[in-house]
Amino acid sequence: MAYSEKVMDHFANPRNVGEIENADGIGEVGNSKCGDIMKMYIKVDNDIITDVKFKTFGCGAAIATSSMATELIKGKSINDALKLTNKAVMEALDGLPPVKVHCSVLAEQAIKAAVSDYYKRRGVDPEPIVGNVPECDSCGCEG
């Protein structure tokens, strides 16, 4: 299984790892079957994601997609972050092997879960804005 240089770089030197104390939104998605679990923390100021961190338990591709996803939404508006697709994450990483595509889906879902949590904490129903965020076991991995 060949990984791009960008995947290897984000795996070896992941960006934005850790937790945010007093985060405005926390999203956790994962799949007990394949073992990949992502937790994403966001800090929001005037609808802009000013900081984002993640903790991922999983394979190198899961770590790399989490890292790249955080880079792609940092400094962006919530609306822009919600438009980030797993395809865009994969393209930014110069591709993923087919069996690892589910990792990019998890990264997209982790962002949506964190934004959903952000709205819930403010007493706003997130579903009309974010859509339905699957909790787990829907990433399509083979696990």
Side-chain angles (χ1 to χ4, degrees), residues 90-116:
M90 285 197 310
E91 284 170 4
L93 288 167
D94 296 334
L96 283 172
V99 296
K100 294 297 177 182
V101 168
H102 71 271
C103 296
S104 62
V105 174
L106 274 179
E108 177 188 331
Q109 288 176 349
I111 292 165
K112 288 182 173 161
V115 171
S116 279

Side-chain angles (χ1 to χ4, degrees), residues 9 26 28 50 73 75 79 100 112 115-118 128 137:
D9 179 41
I26 301 171
E28 186 170 346
T50 55
I73 67 165
N79 277 345
K100 294 297 177 182
K112 288 182 173 161
V115 171
S116 279
D117 184 52
Y118 166 75
D137 292 342

Side-chain angles (χ1 to χ4, degrees), residues 22-92:
N22 305 316
D24 294 317
I26 301 171
E28 186 170 346
V29 294
N31 186 304
S32 53
K33 291 183 196 142
C34 68
D36 293 325
I37 297 165
M38 288 180 194
K39 196 165 188 175
M40 194 112 13
Y41 302 79
I42 57 171
K43 201 81 178 149
V44 181
D45 189 20
N46 284 330
D47 264 2
I48 301 294
I49 296 173
T50 55
D51 198 10
V52 56
K53 297 223 183 292
F54 77 92
K55 282 185 156 182
T56 292
F57 178 84
C59 66
I63 291 164
T65 54
S66 302
S67 173
M68 180 56 85
T70 61
E71 287 284 276
L72 292 170
I73 67 165
K74 199 173 193 173
K76 299 277 193 317
S77 70
I78 286 178
N79 277 345
D80 284 346
L82 289 174
K83 289 179 193 154
L84 183 69
T85 62
N86 71 298
K87 191 169 179 276
V89 173
M90 285 197 310
E91 284 170 4

